[in-house]
Amino acid sequence: VRAAYAEEVKAQAAADAEAAAALAAQMEAAGHAPSIEGGYGLGRPALTEEVAAWNTDIRPDGMGLPEGSGDVWTGEEVFVEKCAMCHGDFGEAVGRWPVLAGGQGTLENEDPVKTIGSYWPYLSTVYDYVNRAMPFGDASTLTPDEVYAITAYLLYLNNEVEDDFTLSSDNFTEVRLPNEENFFMDDRMDTEFPVFIRADICMENCKDEVEITMHASVLDVTPEEEGASEEDALNEEAATTTEESTTEVAAQETTEEAPAEEPAVEMAAFDPELAAAGERVFGKCRACHKVGDGARNGTGPQLNGIVGRGIGALEDFRYSDVFQEAHANGETWDEERLGAFLANPRDAMPRTRMSFAGLRDQGDIDAVIDYLKSVDQ
Amino acid sequence: APDPAITELQPWRNQLGDGVDARPYGVPSKYASEAVRRDVPWLTADPISSVNFTPLHELDGIITPNGLCFERHHGGVADVDPAEYRLMINGLVDKEIVFTLEDLMRYPRENHVYFLECAANSGMEWAGAQLNGCQFTHGMIHNVMYTGIPLRLLLEEAGVQAGGKWLLAEGADASAMTRSIPMEKALDDCLVAFKMNGEALRPEQGYPVRLVVPGWEGNMWIKWLRRLEVGDEPWHHREETSKYTDLLANGQARRFTWEMDAKSVITSPSPQAPITHGKGWTVVTGIAWSGRGTIPRVDVTLDGGKNWHQARMSGPSFNKSVHRFYYEFEWDGSPLLLQSRAHDSTGYVQPTKNELRAIRGENSIYHNNGIQTWYVNENGEAENVEIS
């Protein structure tokens, strides 16, 4: 019966494949949208200013580069202010953010470090990407001179230029990155297709022995289900426990609930319009700080309830010393304190690890504080 | 004893259910709540520039429901107001043009079912078995029906000049994602799509308009598409140089590895979908796809490749779409080493992971289409393993 079934499956598969191919060809021909000579006449001409606003891309041959220049030291200043919070002062990276410097000579290693100096083929890619996507959370705000300066600093961090170097629209295309020659066009058609296009496929007795050589469970890096399944497990446990242990569980629950009996913090009033404006400004902070349901600590602590929260109060975040001291003194983030910190973090909390330079506009500061109040309500 | 599920009156048989006004946009049954996208927090610095995975083990057929299509963003989900949506074509064209969404809706449309696979799908498995579940090892893929305008029609509208050999597609998100696409592909089968599975694109899939680049790596399918520039050379931007290039063991790197090679995975049984019924008739099922055509055949082995069986393909076979396969057998309760092996319409046969490593090393990150192995023990529990 099994053999007959297998034959039937094979025959059916062949017939199905043939029918499907025929159907596909038929549909393809029938559904084709027609071209019209000269186009459909839709859309309108793009104005020069409009093209200029969006056409900012840069190519290896220098196409698209704007006039401007920037030196290594200016680059360091801008980088420390706007980039170091994720990439580190020297491009070494914070947490899992991208490393930007070093790694030369590691591409054949078990763990290659792919940076601008070790891997990227073209400098134009650095300029283009920084200009279009950085800073993360505040894209398209850098001036051409700032982008030239950051790019010059990144070259310096990768030992490609000396510290007196100035990068400009004039000398840009003279700079070549060391790994350019090690890229080549996809060659799978030549190197892999001859191996993997196979006429004879073994179906029976293809090998004598099979051994398991590696188990994923050894690494144990698969995310566990948090919500539902743990709750299920708890419920199951509760369902099978004796009366005595159920009492224990109930007692624990009461203890856990106890903090709720503390005097409720009065919710601060906020201006919805100002809060909405603050949400936009907060985009600059979002790369490191999360708010809202399920917000987790990132490079910086999560900020739920921050207005009125104790300074350095989260147990699961590793604060710098100045925050730990403030926590030990029982200090809290009132609006005034938060405002001063947002205006000038390094003055307000000396030696803070937060590398954000601060918000210059008092209106932005007020707006961010109202936004932070609004997310808790 | 008689089954109380039959002999007793159930509340849904006895009492009235919700009316038609309860859910203007329907949601899955509360009993199907396990079918959700999941992410792997340790993979990336931040959930904004990150990825989540399609729950392949919960799905059947070939179409991915819109809310379960995996997400990959480089600057979060752009919240584009359709009234302010503009698509610009500039560069080496006779007419530089701006389209509104309304303009685009007046072009002839086509419907096609295509898979979209991230080039990094299975990328965590290059150095060996890591993640337990096809959702995590293979879930950076989805397969939906797109409605869109052939890109060719828009390029014809602008009039591509003789030197126009490349296209730069750019998104409107906070990363302004860009990729260079060769003109032959742009004129062949690319779509400027605004619907998926019949409804508007989901925000996380590029609402209101995305590019569809059939069979090619997902990163090229620019979401929130705002601009198409025609040029004479590729741009070599970040996502085609520092990322999405395949580093080989000798330190050299392949660039422009666009096509997704033939690949398959058994979605059940698998680590998140164990056999729970014990011995007897068991359905093995999975999906297969190729960026170069259709999948006329998939083979399945139960014993780690000693013996193979041709699986049964079921469902429509579309070009550059996911295909569904089944293999039913009577399980005797002994451990299994399950694998599937896809054959595509070019004659390419899915290689083993070791065959790929022999050519590419272990540092590629991208384009890992090697054969996946699940070990199923006597209890029906499955694990991601590698075998000799």
Side-chain angles (χ1 to χ4, degrees), chain B residues 91-339:
Chain B
L92 298 180
V93 290
D94 296 334
K95 292 179 287 184
E96 294 188 317
I97 308 184
V98 172
F99 300 101
T100 62
L101 198 53
E102 204 174 29
D103 294 332
L104 293 181
M105 303 293 275
R106 295 170 64 190
Y107 280 92
R109 303 165 200 171
E110 291 184 11
N111 293 299
H112 296 276
V113 177
Y114 293 125
F115 76 82
L116 183 166
E117 185 185 16
C118 177
N121 201 19
S122 314
M124 289 86 84
E125 306 290 307
W126 272 109
Q130 274 222 48
L131 289 163
N132 256 323
C134 63
Q135 177 166 23
F136 303 113
T137 56
H138 290 74
M140 279 195 258
I141 185 167
H142 54 68
N143 196 62
V144 306
M145 176 174 281
Y146 293 97
T147 304
I149 308 153
L151 177 56
R152 165 180 53 85
L153 295 185
L154 301 184
L155 292 171
E156 284 169 357
E157 192 75 62
V160 175
Q161 294 175 356
K165 300 293 179 206
W166 289 84
L167 191 67
L168 184 76
E170 180 181 75
D173 61 316
S175 73
M177 173 72 78
T178 44
R179 281 297 303 256
S180 304
I181 298 166
M183 191 56 72
E184 304 84 68
K185 180 69 174 178
L187 295 173
D188 178 21
D189 58 0
C190 291
L191 295 176
V192 172
F194 44 85
K195 302 276 186 187
M196 58 193 289
N197 291 332
E199 65 176 359
L201 294 176
R202 291 290 171 90
E204 67 270 28
Q205 305 300 339
Y207 179 87
V209 173
R210 89 171 306 161
L211 196 61
V212 169
V213 189
W216 289 21
E217 57 187 17
N219 172 258
M220 306 181 79
W221 301 43
I222 301 295
K223 297 189 280 193
W224 315 288
L225 180 71
R226 77 165 188 177
R227 194 168 66 94
L228 298 161
E229 180 176 354
V230 177
D232 57 350
E233 301 269 347
W235 277 259
H236 296 289
H237 277 179
R238 183 200 190 233
E239 315 301 339
E240 51 205 17
T241 53
S242 88
K243 309 289 175 185
Y244 305 97
T245 45
D246 303 0
L247 177 60
L248 305 186
N250 64 4
Q252 300 204 320
R254 288 176 180 158
R255 71 168 123 228
F256 299 142
T257 42
W258 298 310
E259 293 92 349
M260 300 307 295
D261 292 322
K263 186 167 172 180
S264 69
V265 64
I266 290 171
T267 53
S268 179
S270 65
Q272 297 156 290
I275 302 174
T276 53
H277 55 61
K279 294 177 189 179
W281 279 105
T282 301
V283 174
V284 174
T285 186
I287 53 173
W289 61 95
S290 167
R292 294 187 169 91
T294 57
I295 300 287
R297 171 178 164 187
V298 174
D299 304 323
V300 167
T301 177
L302 307 177
D303 55 15
K306 290 181 185 167
N307 298 289
W308 293 85
H309 315 274
Q310 198 169 333
R312 192 164 57 82
M313 308 303 295
S314 176
S317 169
F318 296 118
N319 196 19
K320 297 164 189 167
S321 159
V322 160
H323 295 60
R324 172 66 58 175
F325 66 86
Y326 297 96
Y327 179 72
E328 299 87 359
F329 76 108
E330 274 188 274
W331 186 39
D332 62 7
S334 58
L336 306 168
L337 286 167
L338 297 177
Q339 294 181 329

Side-chain angles (χ1 to χ4, degrees), chain B residues 39-55:
Chain B
D39 65 336
V40 178
W42 56 262
L43 267 182
T44 52
D46 183 280
I48 292 172
S49 179
S50 193
V51 61
N52 63 23
F53 301 86
T54 305

